[in-house]
Amino acid sequence: MTINLSMALVLAVLYSVGFYLLMQRSLMRILIGIVVLGHGANLLLQLAGGPPGRAPIVGLVGTAEMTDPLPQALALTAIVITFALTTYLLALGYRSWVLSGHDEVQDDVEDRRIAARQAPAGAMEEGTAEETERGPEDTADSHELEEGRK
C-alpha cells in the first residue's frame, strides 16, 4: 500500500490550520479549529483504512478482499466526539456572548499571580512579583503615593 502524496498534503494542511485556530483567543475560531481537526481525523482514519474492498462477511469472500471495519468504526466515533465538542463550544460561546458581549477568552488573573510567585528571582518580567500579587489598580495607587513623597 502506498500513501497518496496529495492526501498527505491535505492532511498536513488540515491539521496545521486546525491547530493554528485552536491557539486563538476567540471561541468561534477555537470551534472552527475543532471542526477542522475533526475532519482531518476522519480523513486520516479513512486513508489508513486502505482501498475499498468487499464486505467483511466470513465465508462469502476471501480475507484478502475484505475491508477492515475498524477505521470505519473509529471514524464514526471521531464524528460523534467532534459533534459533542462542537455543541459544547457553541454553548460556551453563546454564554460568553450573553455575559460579556464578546467571545474572547480572558486571561486568568490568578494564574498570572501563581506564575509570578514561581518565577525565578532573576527573571525579566514586565512587573515585579509584588505588583502582580497586588493587581494593576493597587500598583497604580502605590506609584502615585511614591510620586507624592518625592
Side-chain angles (χ1 to χ4, degrees):
M1 181 175 128
T2 60
I3 296 177
N4 189 351
L5 187 60
S6 62
M7 289 302 285
L9 185 63
V10 167
L11 281 172
V13 168
L14 281 175
Y15 276 104
S16 300
V17 168
F19 283 121
Y20 174 76
L21 289 172
L22 275 178
M23 297 298 129
Q24 302 299 311
R25 296 182 68 91
S26 170
L27 282 176
M28 286 311 294
R29 288 186 183 188
I30 293 171
L31 170 71
I32 294 170
I34 290 286
V35 171
V36 169
L37 278 176
H39 289 312
N42 292 334
L43 190 59
L44 176 67
L45 288 169
Q46 292 303 317
L47 187 63
R54 304 280 309 245
I57 301 174
V58 178
L60 293 180
V61 293
T63 56
E65 298 174 5
M66 289 184 188
T67 301
D68 187 12
L70 183 63
Q72 295 172 9
L74 291 175
L76 285 174
T77 305
I79 289 170
V80 170
I81 291 170
T82 302
F83 180 71
L85 281 173
T86 301
T87 55
Y88 176 72
L89 286 174
L90 278 173
L92 197 63
Y94 175 74
R95 184 69 176 162
S96 174
W97 182 265
V98 167
L99 291 176
S100 64
H102 56 82
D103 67 341
E104 186 175 319
V105 178
Q106 300 288 321
D107 281 339
D108 190 9
V109 178
E110 187 64 28
D111 284 346
R112 279 193 257 156
R113 289 180 183 164
I114 291 171
R117 286 184 197 149
Q118 295 176 352
M124 297 177 63
E125 305 244 344
E126 289 182 14
T128 63
E130 294 172 357
E131 291 175 351
T132 308
E133 288 177 11
R134 289 186 297 205
E137 62 280 344
D138 294 336
T139 306
D141 293 338
S142 64
H143 288 302
E144 290 173 4
L145 287 175
E146 288 176 11
E147 289 177 6
R149 291 181 195 158
K150 291 180 184 177

